[in-house]
Amino acid sequence: MTAPGGTVTVTDVPESRRYEARIDGELAGEAVYLRTPDMIVFVHTEVEPAFEGRGVGSVLARTALDEARELGLRVVAICPFIDGWMQRHPEYEGLRYEPASRVAD
């Protein structure tokens, strides 16, 4: 995907439990996750300071969430960036994990 300042390539690196965003081969950002067969939990997203303001985080979020959709995974967005990005892009809200139980104290 193209972002201001270059083409961003996002790759899932399962052995590191993260999506990596690279521009010209250089690590520009990452979205760290935990995954089960049914869901993916995004715990942290970070863009390297040299690449901030270039849309790297948005490309990371879109790519990771598109893949979650393709794999039929529900999404738990603990990471404030992914959570906020989903809120600003309602077409991804349907991916959110909603617990079946409504038990309250």
Side-chain angles (χ1 to χ4, degrees), residues 5-83:
T7 299
V8 179
T9 304
V10 176
T11 306
D12 183 10
V13 184
E15 61 275 11
S16 297
R17 295 187 323 236
R18 69 185 189 179
Y19 284 89
E20 294 181 348
R22 295 184 178 273
I23 296 177
D24 296 329
E26 189 173 350
L27 184 64
E30 64 183 22
V32 179
Y33 64 79
L34 302 171
R35 187 178 286 174
T36 72
D38 300 325
M39 73 175 60
I40 186 165
V41 180
F42 290 100
V43 294
H44 180 70
T45 302
E46 187 169 344
V47 174
E48 295 298 322
F51 296 98
E52 289 179 353
R54 298 188 191 182
V56 172
S58 290
V59 175
L60 262 171
R62 184 177 308 278
T63 302
L65 293 170
D66 284 347
E67 187 167 299
R69 180 178 281 141
E70 288 172 19
L71 296 173
L73 299 175
R74 307 309 294 170
V75 172
V76 177
I78 294 171
C79 167
F81 179 82
I82 298 289
D83 181 56

